[in-house]
Structures are given as C-alpha cells and as structure tokens.
Amino acid sequence: MEWDQDINTFQLTLKRLQKEHAHQSEFNVICLNYVNQFQNQLRQDFEDITDINENEIIYFFKHIKPVVVAHSLYYRKIIQLEHEKPKKSKPLKRYFSKQLELQYSFKLQHKAFSYYLNSSQSHLDSLYFTCREPLPYDPDDLLDNRNRSYTTPRGLLTAKLLCDELLTNYLKAQLKQLKKTDTTSETPNLDWSGSRTDLIELTYALYHTKVIHKGKADIIEIARALSSFFNVDSGDVYKTYSEIKSRKKSRTKFLNELTIHLQHAMDRDDF
C-alpha cells in the first residue's frame, strides 16, 4: 500500500495551493475542492482493493482517512467562520476567542480518546478502526453510519480531533495577528534623536527612581523597552553606563539638559 506516499503528496499539494492562492478571496474554497477530490479518489482506491488484512484496514482508518476528512471539516469550518465573523477588531477578538473556547471544550470532552491516540495505544484498534456496526454509546459514530464498508466506530471522531488541532492553530494565529495589528496601530512611530548615551542615562534614572513596573523592572528590561519604543539600538548598556560614570564634569549631562529646558519652557509660559 502506498497510503503514506499519497498523504505526503496530499499535504504537499495543500501547501502549494496555500502559497499560490493565499491572497485570493476564494482561497479556502479552492483548498476544499482539492480535498474533496482527493477524498473521493482515496475512497475509490480503497474500495478497489481486493486483498487487504486487518492490520492494513486499521492503519488506513486510523492514520490515513482521518487526515483527509479532518482537512475537509477544517476548510468547511474556516469558510463558515470567515463568512460569519464581525468586521471590527474588538468584536472579532471576542468571536475568535469564543471559537477557541469551543475547540478546547471539544478536546476536553474527548480527552480519554485523545489520550489513546496521542499515546500511540493500539489495544482497542480492532474495535475502533475496523468496519463494524456503530458503538451504541457514541453519537458521533451514529451520525456517520452511512456506509459501514467505509466507516469505522472511531474514524469520524479521530478526524474531528485532528480538525480541532488545525482550527486551534488557525484561531491562535488570527488572535496573534489581531494583537499585532492593534499594537502597531496604537503605538506611535517615534525615533530617538538624542545620542545612545543620553538614552542610557535616562534608563538608569528611571531604574533608580523605581517608577517603572513598581521598581521591579531591571536595567535591561527598561533599556529594551525604550529601544523598542524609540527605534534605537541601546548597545552595551553596562559599558555605556561605565563611561557615563567616568565623566570628569557633569555625570548627569542629559538629565541636567532636560531640567534646564523644562524650566526655561515654564518660565516662558509665565509671561
């Protein structure tokens, strides 16, 4: 059987489609159409096999078919999410967060079977992954009771758990992108016009007055924060501080300038 090779080709083709059509509005529909075509061909190939043993049947329904079905479920769900999602940022974050909670709830509901799969257990494989009558206590299995020659008691649930992983990654990526977008839009683009030494002098002043994070932030954290905000490389913080301390005249030159300029500005405002 060449199922592993087929699945590898399937996944590589999806990656290619994702790269080629990433900016098209019908991107998910294109991927879903390919998945459906592959799914139909996979079923046809399986039904054409005349000589197959139980181990091969188990492998197919545990490791091959669920991967394809999971992607079919995934793209259908993504198309639905994209159609129903709100347009504004705050409602969109709530929307994706709610969907993420639903994925976690589903995984929690089926944690025992998920553990069975993830821990590579196999003692129940003949019950879960061979073609037989549905398990009476399994609603998911009863829903998939259309063709018992191509359906197993835990095949659909296996696919749903794989789909859950895909959806969880998608939702996390969407939330991360929204957070990044919000940060970019809210943070002004300001460049530091003073010297690197001036920045380090300010850094140490903030550190020793303990006005950042209730005095719990260390020197490097403050330096990195200022560097990021002002788009400047702080360089070797400790070396620069050592040079500041070794000044022969004023060791707080920049801070003194800040004080002088502020006092002059206030004096002018008084007239």
Side-chain angles (χ1 to χ4, degrees):
M1 307 298 175
E2 298 181 349
W3 291 325
D4 288 328
Q5 183 177 343
D6 291 341
I7 287 297
N8 184 53
T9 300
F10 170 75
Q11 293 174 330
L12 288 175
T13 303
L14 274 180
K15 287 182 179 179
R16 177 178 58 79
L17 290 174
Q18 290 168 358
K19 184 176 181 180
E20 291 177 356
H21 303 282
H23 301 292
Q24 295 185 21
S25 59
E26 297 299 311
F27 159 69
N28 291 306
V29 174
I30 293 171
C31 290
L32 178 60
N33 288 337
Y34 168 71
V35 172
N36 289 339
Q37 291 173 6
F38 188 92
Q39 191 172 8
N40 292 335
Q41 185 61 54
L42 184 68
R43 176 174 179 172
Q44 185 63 52
D45 292 344
F46 179 82
E47 292 177 343
D48 287 344
I49 298 173
T50 56
D51 183 19
I52 185 171
N53 61 47
E54 183 175 283
N55 288 335
E56 291 171 331
I57 291 174
I58 289 173
Y59 187 82
F60 178 82
F61 286 108
K62 186 177 183 180
H63 299 289
I64 304 301
K65 182 187 174 186
V67 173
V68 183
V69 176
H71 279 83
S72 178
L73 296 172
Y74 169 72
Y75 284 112
R76 291 177 190 277
K77 185 63 176 179
I78 293 300
I79 291 170
Q80 178 188 345
L81 293 176
E82 291 291 328
H83 177 71
E84 296 177 351
K85 71 180 183 182
K87 296 184 182 300
K88 294 185 178 180
S89 178
K90 287 186 177 180
L92 187 56
K93 282 192 285 187
R94 291 195 295 268
Y95 176 76
F96 283 136
S97 296
K98 180 62 176 178
Q99 293 298 324
L100 193 58
E101 290 177 9
L102 293 175
Q103 298 310 128
Y104 284 138
S105 297
F106 179 79
K107 186 177 293 185
L108 185 63
Q109 180 184 355
H110 298 285
K111 63 180 180 179
F113 184 64
S114 179
Y115 177 77
Y116 178 87
L117 294 173
N118 293 331
S119 59
S120 300
Q121 297 184 39
S122 60
H123 59 285
L124 295 176
D125 280 1
S126 60
L127 175 64
Y128 290 158
F129 300 107
T130 57
C131 302
R132 59 173 67 236
E133 290 302 309
L135 301 176
Y137 53 85
D138 187 359
D140 279 316
D141 183 56
L142 293 172
L143 289 172
D144 199 35
N145 189 25
R146 291 167 293 179
N147 185 341
R148 299 316 305 177
S149 65
Y150 194 64
T151 306
T152 63
R154 282 293 188 268
L156 179 59
L157 182 54
T158 302
K160 285 185 174 182
L161 287 169
L162 291 174
C163 177
D164 180 88
E165 292 181 14
L166 295 172
L167 284 171
T168 296
N169 292 336
Y170 164 81
L171 292 168
K172 285 182 176 179
Q174 293 298 312
L175 288 169
K176 183 178 180 180
Q177 182 60 38
L178 283 172
K179 183 178 180 180
K180 181 179 179 180
T181 302
D182 289 346
T183 302
T184 302
S185 60
E186 293 174 3
T187 303
N189 185 21
L190 301 175
D191 292 329
W192 181 259
S193 300
S195 68
R196 179 184 297 173
T197 304
D198 293 342
L199 183 69
I200 302 306
E201 192 176 323
L202 177 62
T203 299
Y204 272 85
L206 293 171
Y207 171 72
H208 287 294
T209 50
K210 300 187 182 301
V211 293
I212 305 296
H213 202 52
K214 297 181 179 179
K216 297 178 181 179
D218 62 30
I219 287 293
I220 298 301
E221 287 177 322
I222 297 173
R224 286 176 177 172
L226 292 175
S227 297
S228 176
F229 186 84
F230 290 119
N231 300 312
V232 62
D233 181 7
S234 58
D236 190 330
V237 175
Y238 299 115
K239 181 181 178 181
T240 304
Y241 180 59
S242 178
E243 293 171 352
I244 292 173
K245 290 194 299 178
S246 65
R247 287 172 176 166
K248 293 182 179 181
K249 295 183 179 181
S250 174
R251 295 201 291 182
T252 55
K253 177 184 175 183
F254 179 62
L255 297 177
N256 292 342
E257 289 178 357
L258 290 179
T259 303
I260 292 171
H261 285 295
L262 179 58
Q263 288 177 340
H264 285 172
M266 289 190 292
D267 289 342
R268 288 194 302 271
D269 293 339
D270 289 338
F271 290 101

